Amino acid sequence: MTDFSKLPNVNIWMTHPDLTQIQQVDFPAGYHMRFYQGAEDIDKWVKIQQISDPFITPTAEHFNNSMPGTTEFRSKRIMFLVNPVGQDIGSITAWQTTKLSKNEIGQIHWVAILPSAQGQRLAIPMTIAACQRIVDLGHTKACLSTNTRRIPALNLYAKLGFRPMFQAIDQKEAWAKIALLIKY
């Protein structure tokens, strides 16, 4: 098994040119997505993110700074993965950005699944659900920001058609060092 902490630690953007081309994949029986319902979901989001992410420790402040807006605005974009017994076990956001283009495009943002639910083929349909939401919100292109140490995530995004977008030489060099670990 690869020690991801020894890989280059470089943030990188990935883009998808046409989300309408992503094939739908169903969730396993009993799993589904729900949308953000209000402030009570912030603590749920923080818990999922903190337990799931070995690289950062998000807080409610991260949530509010990264995803500003009214409850109505957030409820169209922030999604939770729910298991068959009704527990929130993951989260993903179908956001928007102008960071990579002067035109607004969709952004996959803050993706996490609790470790106890990882490996159950949930990340692909969860990410596809967010991509579909981005399309529903009027965008066909999307981007996301991740890190070259997140090999499972990079493989997931590559499988769905996201490709790296190099903005600096260190990103291209880091990608070259991890390329053999990317399956798609």
Side-chain angles (χ1 to χ4, degrees), residues 78-107:
I78 302 168
M79 305 165 78
F80 289 87
L81 174 61
V82 182
N83 70 10
V85 296
Q87 298 169 318
D88 295 321
I89 60 166
S91 65
I92 191 167
T93 304
W95 209 245
Q96 77 269 332
T97 188
T98 56
K99 289 180 182 175
L100 298 180
S101 167
K102 55 185 159 184
N103 297 320
E104 190 175 88
I105 63 172
Q107 181 181 4

Side-chain angles (χ1 to χ4, degrees), residues 32-51:
H32 66 277
M33 299 300 292
R34 73 166 182 86
F35 286 98
Y36 175 87
Q37 297 171 346
E40 65 277 2
D41 278 339
I42 296 173
D43 289 338
K44 294 173 186 178
W45 180 90
V46 168
K47 181 180 176 185
I48 291 167
Q49 293 291 329
Q50 287 181 346
I51 292 171

Side-chain angles (χ1 to χ4, degrees), residues 141-154:
K141 297 179 181 179
C143 65
L144 58 88
S145 177
T146 189
N147 187 283
T148 54
R149 289 185 174 176
R150 298 177 186 272
I151 299 300
L154 291 168

Side-chain angles (χ1 to χ4, degrees), residues 13-23 100-101 104-108 127-128 131-132 134-135 139-145 156-165:
W13 283 92
M14 297 181 80
T15 60
H16 196 292
D18 187 359
L19 295 178
T20 64
Q21 298 303 310
I22 293 179
Q23 297 294 318
L100 298 180
S101 167
E104 190 175 88
I105 63 172
Q107 181 181 4
I108 299 296
T127 305
I128 290 171
C131 289
Q132 183 57 54
I134 288 171
V135 171
H139 307 290
T140 58
K141 297 179 181 179
C143 65
L144 58 88
S145 177
L156 165 72
Y157 302 139
K159 182 176 185 172
L160 294 177
F162 284 85
R163 297 294 176 253
M165 180 178 160

